[in-house]
Structures are given as structure tokens and as C-alpha cells.
Amino acid sequence: QVRLVESGGGSVQDGGSLKLSCAASGYDNKNWCMAWFRQAPGKEREGVVAIDNEGRLSYGESMKARFTISKDSVSNILYLQMNNVKPEDTAMYYCAARANYQPSWRLTCSVVPPHPDFDFWGQGTQVTVSS
């Protein structure tokens, strides 16, 4: 049974930094695809960034400059480093993973719509940026 548990959210001031964590259990596939999404109140969920076991990245629109994804394969924790945060980054941040992911020449570990569905989701961690 796959379980994803996010942590690290909180309140931060405009221009500050925050690092989110996602502890994954039951998800130790050789081939894997994991991502961060976010959803602000009244808005649709949007993809932040995805990474696969080959280290290939997929960023959501305007996310690349300030967000960095990484994964510690020993501890099986996915991270999201957020720098120079802005009030518009205020949202619930979710960790997600794909089941039965197979890397191919075409990047399918993606957060850019239309992208394949992510099968496993965490409960989310709230990030609030104040000006």
C-alpha cells in the first residue's frame, strides 16, 4: 500500500524560502515518477514540478525559476525547495506518484496538461506567504 505524507508547510514572508518533504512508503519501484502539485482556494489544481527515476524534470508554467525538486532514494523522501516565495504561491501543496511508470523517449512523467494521471496522493501541506 502506497502512502505519501507531506510536511514542511507553514507561514513564510514574501521573498523567503521553504522546503517541503514527502515521505513515501510502499513506493520503491525501480521506475518511478513523482511530482508536486498545488491548489489555491477557488483555483484549479496546478502542477509545480515532476521528476522520474532518470532525473528528467517537468515544470509547470512559471515554476522553473524558483522551485527545485529532488529525491533522496535512500530515505525515499521527495523534496520541494521553494525560494523567493510570493503571496501567489499560497496554496495547499500535494505530493503525487504514478503507478507502473515506464520511462520512454517521450517524457510522460509530466505536470504539463494533458499529462497522465497520478495514482497516489498525499493529504497536502499548507503554505501561506504573507506580504
Side-chain angles (χ1 to χ4, degrees):
Q1 181 180 354
V2 176
R3 186 166 182 238
L4 306 175
V5 180
E6 301 94 336
S7 61
S11 297
V12 59
Q13 288 197 324
D14 190 354
S17 297
L18 205 61
K19 189 171 186 177
L20 307 183
S21 301
C22 171
S25 58
Y27 188 71
D28 53 0
N29 307 352
K30 175 183 176 183
N31 297 317
W32 51 265
C33 167
M34 298 186 74
W36 289 96
F37 289 81
R38 70 184 186 184
Q39 188 166 19
K43 294 188 176 181
E44 291 190 357
R45 186 177 63 200
E46 62 177 340
V48 178
V49 59
I51 185 171
D52 73 359
N53 56 287
E54 295 186 348
R56 296 184 295 176
L57 304 175
S58 165
Y59 281 94
E61 186 176 348
S62 73
M63 302 292 182
K64 191 172 183 177
R66 300 181 295 109
F67 296 101
T68 303
I69 191 172
S70 62
K71 186 173 182 285
D72 184 326
S73 295
V74 174
S75 61
N76 214 14
I77 297 177
L78 183 75
Y79 297 101
L80 179 68
Q81 177 67 47
M82 306 170 61
N83 295 324
N84 190 23
V85 295
K86 305 177 185 301
E88 51 264 39
D89 294 324
T90 294
M92 187 72 82
Y93 284 73
Y94 298 93
C95 170
R98 290 259 308 272
N100 303 316
Y101 173 71
Q102 292 295 328
S104 70
W105 63 269
R106 184 169 62 91
L107 182 61
T108 58
C109 181
S110 174
V111 295
V112 179
H115 58 75
D117 290 339
F118 282 77
D119 305 285
F120 310 110
W121 293 84
Q123 82 290 348
T125 186
Q126 177 68 37
V127 173
T128 303
V129 183
S130 56
S131 57

